[in-house]
Amino acid sequence: MSRPTPAISRLEVDPRVAPRRRMLVAALVLLLVAPAALTMADLHWRAGYTAWSIAHLFLFTVLFAHVAFGASQAIIGGFARRRNRVRILSTLPPDDGQPLRVRTAVVMPICNEEVGRVMEGMRVIYESVTVTGRLPECDFFLLSDSMNANNWVEEEAAWLAMTQQLGATGRIFYRKRRIGTNKKAGNIADFCRRWGRHYRYMVVLDADSIMSGAGIVQMVRVMEQNHDVGIVQGVPSLVNGETLLARLQQFASRLYGPVFAAGLNYWQLGESNYWGHNAIIRVAPFIRHCSLPELPGDGPFGGRVLSHDYVEAALMRRAGWAVWLATDVEGNYEECPANLIDFAKRDRRWLQGNLQHARLIFARGIHPVNRLHFTLGILSYLASPLWLAFTIISAVIVWRIGATGLTLLPRVSFMPFPGWTAAGEALWLFGFTMALLIVPKLVALLDLRSRPADVAGFGGWRKLSAGVLLEMVLFTLIAPILMAFHTKFTVLTLLRQSVSWGTQRRGRAGESAWGEAVSAHSGHTAAGVAGAVIAWQLSPAMAAWMSPLLAGLLLSIPLSYVTGLLSAGAFFRKRGLLLTPEENQPAPELVQLEKNLALRPAAEPDEARLRSDYGLLLAVLDPYVNAAHVALLRAKDDLPPASEERFAALRVRLVREGPEALPAAEKISLLTDAQSMNALHHEIWSAPDLGLHEWWQLALKHYAVIAPAPQTAFRAA
């Protein structure tokens, strides 16, 4: 495929726009960093430079620049939103309302997710797209990597039921990979190899994503109008949070996210990033140019690329295709972790993937902005150990000053402000840092002044202001806990300890447990106690300066537990705090999803012994599920005699000793063998009760209650 011919759009009409905007951002960051760095340098100059003070100044400058960059993006984003700059939809001509006859696939990779939530989410998206009538050639794919037998079988049964209810046979497809190579990236790559050539675009979702049909149509129109664009990344709003932590995340994201996203869009333009979901991709160049490299060496820095999205965006841009951030496409939603421990687990996966990008920063042909994306992604997690190192060095410097007994200020300040004292400089630095942390919040609140509907959605100015104060206090306490987690994860990664890629607990399943909180945060509490004792011994003033950090660590166990409670989230929601417009004025898709989930019956039996292997029960006993499961298995050639003997032995053990006698991997092996599933179905229903293990006898009694007709019909035959 040849390099695309750029379309004329408001994003890139003038080739000087992007460099000018990026210089503006860099100048603003420098304008903010320079006085702070000079003031800190002057403080060290007064006392005399040492190796410790040089390291302290370097860390301060790096960390302050990180804060200044965020504040700069918020300031510029607020300005851009007021001027309606860089709106993706401005590239579109007037909508004629006609159907877009372009082949589009909506793909949702899943892996051991809560099946009801996945299916109802896909149902809502399908119905929303159907209502628009604009994408008659749109197909939907559930791409499963689930290796839990219950999830696997329930996914198949739920998919079949959904396609029948919607009349969507041949429109909604389900595929289960035998081996989940390279996780989500491998799942999408497998889809592209098998079906990609049939589609011009694919909309990539996460298991918790919701997109409106109108939003998907808008994204397709953007791609159709701008033939040089390879990826358009949407900006999803966080929704459906029920615990206090989830509500804090969605409140902060909804309030501050728009100005940050506008700031990103202002300087990124056609070199934006891809976040791995809620985005539309031009399939042909993605297949040709975005195959992920196998990094040399073993994990965690070698092997398969974990954080694939940044790399795919860089490869797409290297091939000459633009990547856009669609800040103005609405109807775009996702969910977030419900408790602090799950939040940290997700961060560990992302941290390892981002650190892996250090090997790609200087890769050949990568655009400078993509190199910056890699660098900022790495720094977003390295900031935590750098922050900890800065705090420790600060304590060492205070101790050295007290231990030497030397005069604190042997030199005169070189700052052009006569009469400044060291205490004055330190207070000015503290105030300036706090101001930069608060600026994005003020910019977001000012941005809302022109959007009264959003203000009402947040509950009005009084409750919105109270929510901002609550969010500031709680995230100030949570920040040291995340610092401790990120530092630990960084050290483990550098020690070459890879991380497993588990499933995020969503919704009510993610509620915190006291024992889990104690186990996860005992070390943080001990570190807080030790830090408080040491800081007080060094200097009461330093202990006061470190009090927010120490308080977060000391309160880590109750804070983690309480913020992960559903009751705590309900408490604040009942009082109208931490509300978002998506709650007060929910989109039709979100309303329908809530209704569908409320009506969905429980899939698991009451008997505890049956619950752990309920998927296997259905796949073996239910004639419909068994037939569907076997039909979905790929046909295989005749098995070697050794394999047939192995499967026969496993079937005997399963029937005589029950599922508890087989490891999970052997149950999955049986579920992947069509001959074994047919044989088990026949054998269990044909065997006399005395010839079955008691687990199967209990399973038959349970099945006779929930589905007597299929059982009777089978036995009559």
Side-chain angles (χ1 to χ4, degrees):
M1 177 176 296
S2 60
R3 288 172 65 90
T5 301
I8 297 178
S9 73
R10 295 188 187 179
L11 287 178
E12 297 182 11
V13 171
D14 188 338
R16 296 170 295 180
V17 167
R20 188 166 61 238
R21 290 183 178 182
R22 290 161 189 170
M23 288 297 293
L24 175 63
V25 174
L28 182 55
V29 172
L30 182 61
L31 186 65
L32 295 174
V33 172
L38 287 173
T39 303
M40 180 61 77
D42 185 58
L43 279 171
H44 287 304
W45 168 260
R46 288 170 178 260
Y49 274 97
T50 66
W52 291 104
S53 60
I54 293 172
H56 189 264
L57 176 60
F58 171 76
L59 290 175
F60 173 82
T61 305
V62 171
L63 292 170
F64 196 89
H66 194 229
V67 173
F69 183 68
S72 299
Q73 288 197 128
I75 293 169
I76 291 175
F79 172 80
R81 280 173 64 82
R82 289 182 64 85
R83 300 291 298 273
N84 285 326
R85 296 285 184 88
V86 197
R87 291 179 59 83
I88 297 298
L89 298 185
S90 67
T91 67
L92 299 180
D95 190 351
D96 59 8
Q98 295 300 311
L100 303 174
R101 297 195 173 277
V102 52
R103 297 282 286 166
T104 303
V106 177
V107 300
M108 180 183 286
I110 56 178
C111 181
N112 297 325
E113 303 285 349
E114 199 280 306
V115 178
R117 170 62 182 83
V118 168
M119 295 298 165
E120 296 310 323
M122 179 61 85
R123 183 195 299 268
V124 165
I125 297 169
Y126 175 86
E127 291 178 329
S128 183
V129 171
T130 302
V131 167
T132 68
R134 304 293 305 281
L135 288 174
E137 299 180 21
C138 185
D139 293 330
F140 299 76
F141 290 81
L142 290 158
L143 309 175
S144 176
D145 273 345
S146 298
M147 292 305 292
N148 177 288
N150 290 341
N151 286 78
W152 181 5
V153 176
E154 189 180 348
E155 287 166 5
E156 292 176 336
W159 164 70
L160 285 166
M162 179 173 65
T163 54
Q164 290 180 347
Q165 293 160 6
L166 295 174
T169 302
R171 293 290 306 280
I172 304 178
F173 302 92
Y174 172 86
R175 192 272 285 113
K176 164 72 172 68
R177 282 203 298 171
R178 288 183 178 273
I179 302 175
T181 304
N182 206 19
K183 307 297 188 281
K184 180 180 178 179
N187 205 345
I188 294 294
D190 182 77
F191 166 81
C192 290
R193 283 192 298 269
R194 295 177 182 275
W195 298 287
R197 66 184 182 277
H198 300 299
Y199 300 96
R200 184 178 299 175
Y201 309 119
M202 65 175 174
V203 178
V204 181
L205 305 175
D206 258 358
D208 58 2
S209 297
I210 293 292
M211 288 189 69
S212 69
I216 292 175
V217 168
Q218 285 180 334
M219 283 189 160
V220 173
R221 291 188 65 224
V222 168
M223 297 293 271
E224 284 288 273
Q225 184 64 28
N226 298 278
H227 302 293
D228 63 324
V229 177
I231 300 176
V232 175
Q233 172 64 61
V235 183
S237 299
L238 299 180
V239 295
N240 297 335
E242 297 188 66
T243 65
L244 177 55
L245 180 65
R247 296 186 61 75
L248 280 169
Q249 292 175 76
Q250 66 185 32
F251 174 82
S253 173
R254 184 61 174 82
L255 179 57
Y256 314 132
V259 295
F260 278 111
L264 279 172
N265 214 1
Y266 181 84
W267 64 269
Q268 289 180 353
L269 298 174
E271 284 81 38
S272 293
N273 220 341
Y274 169 44
W275 301 340
H277 57 87
N278 292 63
I280 187 168
I281 297 175
R282 198 177 296 271
V283 177
F286 185 82
I287 293 174
R288 178 161 186 171
H289 302 293
C290 296
S291 179
L292 295 176
E294 183 88 12
L295 299 179
D298 299 326
F301 294 104
R304 302 279 186 176
V305 173
L306 295 180
S307 292
H308 58 92
D309 38 17
Y310 279 37
V311 182
E312 289 162 343
L315 295 174
M316 185 71 84
R317 192 68 194 99
R318 185 174 71 172
W321 296 85
V323 180
W324 284 2
L325 183 65
T327 59
D328 52 341
V329 173
E330 299 181 349
N332 205 339
Y333 312 100
E334 65 169 330
E335 297 172 2
C336 58
N339 66 73
L340 195 54
I341 297 171
D342 278 356
F343 189 98
K345 289 178 180 177
R346 185 189 68 176
D347 272 4
R348 182 176 182 186
R349 300 194 299 268
W350 290 358
L351 181 149
Q352 181 177 326
N354 282 16
L355 292 185
Q356 198 180 43
H357 293 163
R359 305 187 66 169
L360 301 171
I361 290 176
F362 301 104
R364 185 175 59 186
I366 299 297
H367 192 280
V369 174
N370 292 111
R371 299 185 199 277
L372 180 61
H373 288 318
F374 290 148
T375 304
L376 292 175
I378 294 168
L379 185 58
S380 66
Y381 290 106
L382 285 187
S384 288
L386 293 179
W387 180 22
L388 180 60
F390 175 78
T391 304
I392 293 173
I393 292 176
S394 300
V396 170
I397 291 174
V398 170
W399 172 78
R400 282 170 58 85
I401 291 173
T404 59
L406 298 176
T407 303
L408 181 60
L409 302 175
R411 298 182 182 178
V412 179
S413 169
F414 63 68
M415 294 293 284
F417 304 106
W420 264 38
T421 64
E425 287 183 325
L427 285 175
W428 182 86
L429 271 181
F430 176 79
F432 191 29
T433 304
M434 291 299 102
L436 287 189
L437 292 173
I438 294 173
V439 157
K441 306 177 189 301
L442 296 178
V443 171
L445 292 174
L446 288 173
D447 180 67
L448 282 178
R449 292 181 60 188
S450 61
R451 294 171 173 79
D454 280 354
V455 174
F458 282 109
W461 282 111
R462 184 172 61 85
K463 291 181 178 179
L464 173 59
S465 301
V468 170
L469 292 175
L470 177 64
E471 175 263 332
M472 289 174 61
V473 171
L474 289 178
F475 274 134
T476 298
L477 294 173
I478 289 172
I481 304 173
L482 294 178
M483 176 199 71
F485 270 130
H486 292 169
T487 302
K488 175 184 175 182
F489 297 158
T490 301
V491 171
L492 292 176
T493 301
L494 294 176
L495 293 175
R496 310 190 72 81
Q497 292 191 24
S498 297
V499 63
S500 60
W501 203 275
T503 301
Q504 179 180 306
R505 295 181 298 176
R506 310 181 195 274
R508 293 183 173 273
E511 186 172 24
S512 60
W514 181 256
E516 188 178 31
V518 171
S519 175
H521 300 291
S522 296
H524 301 156
T525 305
V529 172
V533 171
I534 294 171
W536 184 263
Q537 292 294 325
L538 290 173
S539 166
M542 183 170 185
W545 176 70
M546 293 178 59
S547 58
L549 185 153
L550 296 172
L553 295 175
L554 290 169
L555 297 173
S556 57
I557 293 175
L559 190 65
S560 177
Y561 176 68
V562 171
T563 56
L565 289 177
L566 295 169
S567 57
F571 175 86
F572 287 101
R573 180 171 185 173
K574 185 176 180 180
R575 284 153 182 79
L577 296 175
L578 304 178
L579 294 175
T580 64
E582 284 71 25
E583 288 182 294
N584 277 327
Q585 302 133 17
E589 292 79 11
L590 298 179
V591 173
Q592 191 61 49
L593 175 64
E594 185 176 2
K595 289 181 180 179
N596 292 356
L597 290 174
L599 295 173
R600 189 176 179 87
E604 295 180 339
D606 294 332
E607 293 87 345
R609 289 191 65 190
L610 297 181
R611 197 172 301 137
S612 61
D613 290 292
Y614 195 57
L616 183 64
L617 181 155
L618 289 177
V620 171
L621 293 183
D622 190 292
Y624 180 76
V625 175
N626 176 267
H629 178 77
V630 171
L632 288 171
L633 293 174
R634 298 190 188 94
K636 294 190 294 185
D637 297 331
D638 293 337
L639 292 174
S643 297
E644 291 184 353
E645 292 176 5
R646 173 175 170 268
F647 281 123
L650 289 177
R651 293 196 298 269
V652 170
R653 285 185 62 196
L654 180 63
V655 172
R656 294 180 180 177
E657 303 176 32
E660 298 160 352
L662 270 63
E666 293 183 345
K667 297 173 191 175
I668 290 291
S669 293
L670 286 173
L671 282 168
T672 60
D673 182 55
Q675 181 179 345
S676 292
M677 296 310 299
N678 283 325
L680 284 168
H681 179 73
H682 182 269
E683 186 169 355
I684 294 296
W685 280 114
S686 303
D689 290 345
L690 294 179
L692 296 174
H693 185 266
E694 59 179 342
W695 189 93
W696 287 109
Q697 297 180 35
L698 179 63
L700 286 167
K701 292 178 182 178
H702 167 79
Y703 187 77
V705 172
I706 64 168
Q711 177 182 336
T712 304
F714 185 89
R715 288 189 171 179

